[in-house]
Amino acid sequence: MRRPGPPPTTRRPATVGDTSTRHLIFEAAAHEFSTHGFDGASVDAIARAAHVNKAMLYYHFASKIGLYRAIVGDMLRAVEAGVTELAASRDTPTRKIERFIATLAAQKAARPWFPPLMLREMSDGAPHLDAATLAHLRAIFTAFGSILAAGAARGEFRRVHPVLAYVSIMGPMLMNAVRERAAAKHGRLDISLFAPVATDELVSHMQLAARRMLAPLRATPKGRQP
């Protein structure tokens, strides 16, 4: 009786134009860039992690900077689509802000590499973002600003600088994501700061904080200090 051969490998050989190969390169690069930044990331390391040669990598992504911008743009396009849709919805402005926060949390969960990558990029002055990538950021902020303006016009929100409102929401969510990254290092779970926080708890907390931040200011009774 003929002996059976080894089980087939689960990874198919990479072929030109293979979308699964492109996905493997994308995932490997996202991890490399989020860990080492653009300048510290190695194309050789990305190719090794994706189990492809550099020629295959450059077939799918013409250059290192093109690969980087594709990764950043993937997240920004997803957020832009969600925020633009909810800004045009019939929900109240308050509900739109709550959904905005939930959208950010969902996209972060799908792309855990994004917060450390984007924080590093922004802290360096965003030198690797081209006009097309920045256009996604502009669209996100424009949609967010329209929600704030609608809320103020309806009397649901106090008038607040949209940049300050934006960073008041984005900042804590990004910082919690990098806190989680630090907590993932071995032997740190006994540090209270690194205790796990459930996503739904984070979302509820940020929604409450946003509602309080945007709530109209109450008139101070005469004779009392504000």
Side-chain angles (χ1 to χ4, degrees), residues 20-182:
S20 65
T21 300
R22 180 183 176 89
H23 178 72
L24 290 172
I25 295 169
F26 186 100
E27 291 290 315
H31 175 76
E32 179 75 6
F33 285 130
S34 70
T35 303
H36 302 289
F38 178 81
D39 293 330
S42 164
V43 173
D44 289 325
I46 294 170
R48 284 195 303 271
H51 299 275
V52 301
N53 56 40
K54 287 202 294 184
M56 184 69 72
L57 185 151
Y58 286 126
Y59 171 82
H60 287 281
F61 301 95
S63 62
K64 179 181 176 182
I65 188 64
L67 175 54
Y68 182 84
R69 288 169 178 165
I71 290 169
V72 176
D74 172 72
M75 174 68 168
L76 295 182
R77 281 191 300 272
V79 174
E80 178 187 349
V83 176
T84 301
E85 178 183 356
L86 71 88
S89 74
R90 295 186 177 183
D91 283 343
T92 65
T94 298
R95 181 58 186 147
K96 289 178 181 181
I97 289 294
E98 292 174 343
R99 288 179 57 197
F100 174 69
I101 292 169
T103 296
L104 293 177
Q107 295 300 339
K108 174 266 172 185
R111 300 166 177 82
W113 44 262
F114 184 78
L117 185 156
M118 198 61 179
L119 281 174
R120 187 192 298 265
E121 177 67 26
M122 296 297 283
S123 67
D124 288 342
H128 307 108
L129 303 187
D130 60 353
T133 308
L134 291 171
H136 297 304
L137 279 174
R138 183 182 299 111
I140 292 168
F141 184 72
T142 298
F144 177 80
S146 72
I147 297 172
L148 295 184
R154 287 170 52 122
E156 286 187 37
F157 300 158
R158 68 184 181 91
R159 295 197 176 276
V160 60
H161 197 300
V163 172
L164 299 180
Y166 187 78
V167 298
S168 294
I169 292 173
M170 293 294 295
M173 297 194 75
L174 289 173
M175 287 305 300
N176 184 68
V178 296
R179 181 195 69 85
E180 290 176 335
R181 193 179 181 97

Side-chain angles (χ1 to χ4, degrees), residues 7-23:
T9 179
T10 57
R11 186 185 297 277
R12 297 186 292 113
T15 59
V16 172
D18 188 349
T19 55
S20 65
T21 300
R22 180 183 176 89
H23 178 72

